[in-house]
């Protein structure tokens, strides 16, 4: 196997309020390659004192109006400058992310292209966003004003940190907020490169901080009285705790959580047309994507045929070095994550599901946290492998008898984040899509759309990111009444 591991830069300072400063403690994060299992870099780990400094800086920036009193034209230009600065750093960001998280280069490229797109999209939306409107009712009149919510604490996971931070930052800044971002302990280095881009873009002092750290540091940010709104992306378990913490002071909260999304394949679908989008949407980034389509619902009449076709396609995916051009799946992010996925594969076997392909570590790859793309057939929707988020390249194929049953199975989930319908008849596909209780659903394709509203039904989350709704998530509504 080749190993084109790129150089990953270590860092010594933390990005607080737009400046590079010494961390409050000597605590550091060792970054370990998921491919070689060797330490490849080290960065400072933020502590509670660093969070306090960042929140103070964000509060001062917000209260001073240094950002909100800039003209709209200047704020739009600033958001576009961030996009330019990210673009200028794309090669290093992409290779750093592939090195520290194990994402194949194509996945890394796609995530970072999205990051640029979020800044450009929110700059464009800011240009014409309606921050107020006049209203008349009965004998009265007034103005509805949409104001920035204040200081935002943004907590993000490791699976696409530059894109995730950019999604939150670009929308929050477009709304007029200041932001403290807390990336995960895993894969933190690319967020230092994002901080460099933000520094180069010349935003007002105090406006943005990026402080990677562990869960207690995240909890400190959530509990901080100086934080008006928490925007969280991560597991449903953590989201529930965060929502409880926010309740104590009625802090505003948006939650982007886990998923167990379903794809319904109707009996007239052409399987070969389904695979090009279904495969990346289900096991791309080794299934470490919240919106991964991991339950595939196939008609009983063509179930065997479909399982054979899908199994063969998954078996053919190349697992290996993230830097090799033909690699489709890299390693999982950590040993802990691989153990979790292997546990689930064991649970699936015990539950009586049949392994069609995969189910273990790829042969001949002793180093690196690799796992084969795995397909389970003969799965019942009540099995744990059909109900719980695995966050690995594990797909379950569930048979259904008619569309009523397919819709019922798709909706029989605690989650509701994404999904897909593949049908030979577009109208039928549209009708089925409307019946699925999920925040986003694709007809005759599958994937992730984050420039327009994205978020979960049920335990997949609360609120939306992306599009005008994404900016709205960082605004408060005030009514100024005249002539009451
Ligand atoms: P995680 O919830 O363990 O951690 C995510 C982030 O939250 C990390 O920065 C972590 O340090 C922090 N955190 C964890 N517990 C916290 C707490 N109690 N208080 C404050 N901060 C806390 O998730 P993970 O394992 O890193 O990521 C995988 C999960 O994220 C999956 O469930 C996946 O579905 C979800 N995810 C959701 C989306 C989405 O947009 N819906 C996107 C990506 C990932």
């Amino acid at each position: 196997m080749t190993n084109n591991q790129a150089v990953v830069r270590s860092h010594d300072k933390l990005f607080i309020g737009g400046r590079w400063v010494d961390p409050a403690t000597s605590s550091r994060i060792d970054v370990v390659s998921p491919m070689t299992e060797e330490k490849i870099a080290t960065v400072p780990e933020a502590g509670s004192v660093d969070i306090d400094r960042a929140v103070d800086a964000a509060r001062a920036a917000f209260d001073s109006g240094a950002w909100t009193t800039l003209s709209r034209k200047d704020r739009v230009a600033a958001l576009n400058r961030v996009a330019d600065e990210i673009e200028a750093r794309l090669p290093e960001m992409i290779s750093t992310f592939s090195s520290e998280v194990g994402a194949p280069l194509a996945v890394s490229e796609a995530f970072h292209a999205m990051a640029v797109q979020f800044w450009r999209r929110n700059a464009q939306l800011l240009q014409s966003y309606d921050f107020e409107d006049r209203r008349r009712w009965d004998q009265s009149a007034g103005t509805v004003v949409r104001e920035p919510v204040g200081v935002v604490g943004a907590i993000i996971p490791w699976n696409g940190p530059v894109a995730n931070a950019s999604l939150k930052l670009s929308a929050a800044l477009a709304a007029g907020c200041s932001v403290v971002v807390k990336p995960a302990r895993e894969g933190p280095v690319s967020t230092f490169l994002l901080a460099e881009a933000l520094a180069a873009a010349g935003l007002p002092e105090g406006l943005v901080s990026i402080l990677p750290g562990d869960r207690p540091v995240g909890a400190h940010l959530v509990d901080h009285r100086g934080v008006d709104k928490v925007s969280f992306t991560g597991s449903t378990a953590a989201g529930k705790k965060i929502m409880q913490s926010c309740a104590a002071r009625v802090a505003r909260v948006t939650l982007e959580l886990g998923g167990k999304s379903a794809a319904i394949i109707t009996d007239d679908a052409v399987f070969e047309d389904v695979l090009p989008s279904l495969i990346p949407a289900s096991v791309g980034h080794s299934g470490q994507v919240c919106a991964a389509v991991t339950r595939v619902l196939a008609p009983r009449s063509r179930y065997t045929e479909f399982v054979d076709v899908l199994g063969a396609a998954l078996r053919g995916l190349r697992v290996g070095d993230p830097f090799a051009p033909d690699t489709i799946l890299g390693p999982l992010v950590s040993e802990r994550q691989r153990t979790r996925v292997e546990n689930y594969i064991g649970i699936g076997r015990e539950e009586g599901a049949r392994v069609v392909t995969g189910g273990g570590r790829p042969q001949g790859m002793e180093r690196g946290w690799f796992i084969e793309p795995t397909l389970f057939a003969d799965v019942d929707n009540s099995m744990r492998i059909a109900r719980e988020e695995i966050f690995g390249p594990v797909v379950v194929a569930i048979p259904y008898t008619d569309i009523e049953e397919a819709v019922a199975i798709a909706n029989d989930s605690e989650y509701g984040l994404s999904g897909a319908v593949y049908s030979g008849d577009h109208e039928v596909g549209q009708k089925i899509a409307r019946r699925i209780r999920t925040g986003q659903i694709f007809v005759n394709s599958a994937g992730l759309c984050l420039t327009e509203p994205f978020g979960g039904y049920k335990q997949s989350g609360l609120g939306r990111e992306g599009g005008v709704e994404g900016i709205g998530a960082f605004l408060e509504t005030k009514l100024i009444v005249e002539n009451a």
Side-chain angles (χ1 to χ4, degrees), residues 256-264 277-278 280-282 289-295 297 389 409-411 413-422 432-433 435-443 445-450 453-461 464:
E256 296 290 353
L257 309 177
K260 193 78 191 177
S261 299
I264 296 178
S277 55
L278 181 64
S282 57
V289 178
C290 54
V293 176
T294 49
R295 291 186 297 150
L297 280 45
E389 185 182 51
I409 294 171
N411 285 334
S413 173
E414 285 177 355
Y415 296 111
L417 190 58
S418 190
V421 184
Y422 291 94
I432 297 171
R435 297 179 64 191
I436 308 303
R437 305 279 299 161
T438 188
Q440 207 164 78
I441 186 156
F442 291 71
V443 177
S445 69
L448 190 59
C449 174
L450 294 167
F454 173 77
Y457 279 33
K458 300 185 267 184
Q459 294 192 31
S460 284
R464 293 292 178 270

Side-chain angles (χ1 to χ4, degrees), residues 62-116:
F62 184 73
D63 291 346
S64 74
W67 175 239
T68 44
T69 54
L70 283 182
S71 71
R72 195 187 285 232
K73 194 165 156 252
D74 286 347
R75 279 178 289 144
V76 168
L79 299 189
N80 278 320
R81 277 202 306 278
V82 178
D84 295 341
E85 295 295 340
I86 294 174
E87 269 180 333
R89 290 165 177 78
L90 279 178
E92 188 180 359
M93 283 184 178
I94 289 165
S95 64
T96 296
F97 181 62
S98 284
S99 298
E100 62 178 349
V101 170
L105 279 181
V107 171
S108 192
E109 281 163 10
F111 272 120
H112 290 84
M114 274 199 257
V116 174

Side-chain angles (χ1 to χ4, degrees), residues 92-319:
E92 188 180 359
M93 283 184 178
I94 289 165
S95 64
T96 296
F97 181 62
S98 284
S99 298
E100 62 178 349
V101 170
L105 279 181
V107 171
S108 192
E109 281 163 10
F111 272 120
H112 290 84
M114 274 199 257
V116 174
Q117 195 186 15
F118 299 151
W119 287 97
R120 298 246 185 261
R121 175 78 176 130
N122 276 316
Q124 183 196 35
L125 289 172
L126 174 58
Q127 255 168 1
S128 56
Y129 197 92
D130 247 346
F131 286 101
E132 46 182 271
D133 62 272
R134 291 277 300 161
R135 303 222 183 144
R136 292 189 177 280
W137 65 98
D138 300 332
Q139 306 303 312
S140 304
T143 308
V144 173
V145 184
R146 286 171 278 278
E147 300 180 334
V149 68
V151 173
V152 173
I155 298 179
I156 57 167
W158 46 264
N159 64 343
V162 170
N164 224 302
S166 292
L167 183 60
K168 293 186 191 303
L169 274 167
S170 58
L173 293 186
C177 296
S178 49
V179 191
V180 178
V181 183
K182 207 270 327 149
R185 234 180 156 272
E186 299 88 348
V189 187
S190 53
T191 65
F192 282 79
L193 305 183
L194 174 63
E196 289 180 355
L198 290 160
L203 301 169
E205 196 179 328
L207 199 66
V208 176
S209 300
I210 300 189
L211 296 172
D214 216 347
R215 291 169 182 201
V217 178
H220 185 74
L221 179 61
V222 169
D223 288 336
H224 206 295
R225 289 169 55 86
V227 171
D228 300 294
K229 157 117 197 184
V230 175
S231 179
F232 172 74
T233 298
S235 62
T236 295
K240 287 177 184 174
K241 284 189 197 141
I242 286 168
M243 194 171 172
Q244 273 178 339
S245 305
C246 289
R249 60 177 204 289
V250 198
R252 278 72 182 121
V253 62
T254 295
L255 303 172
E256 296 290 353
L257 309 177
K260 193 78 191 177
S261 299
I264 296 178
I265 321 286
T266 63
D267 58 4
D268 60 352
V270 178
F271 295 160
E272 286 69 22
D273 294 345
V274 170
L275 298 180
S277 55
L278 181 64
I279 297 283
S282 57
V283 298
H285 200 5
S286 294
Q288 301 168 120
V289 178
C290 54
V293 176
T294 49
R295 291 186 297 150
V296 181
L297 280 45
R300 226 171 259 287
S301 55
R302 297 184 68 193
Y303 185 70
T304 309
E305 180 195 350
F306 181 69
V307 166
D308 286 349
V309 169
L310 183 58
L314 290 173
R315 203 172 297 121
L317 299 180
R318 188 170 159 75
V319 181

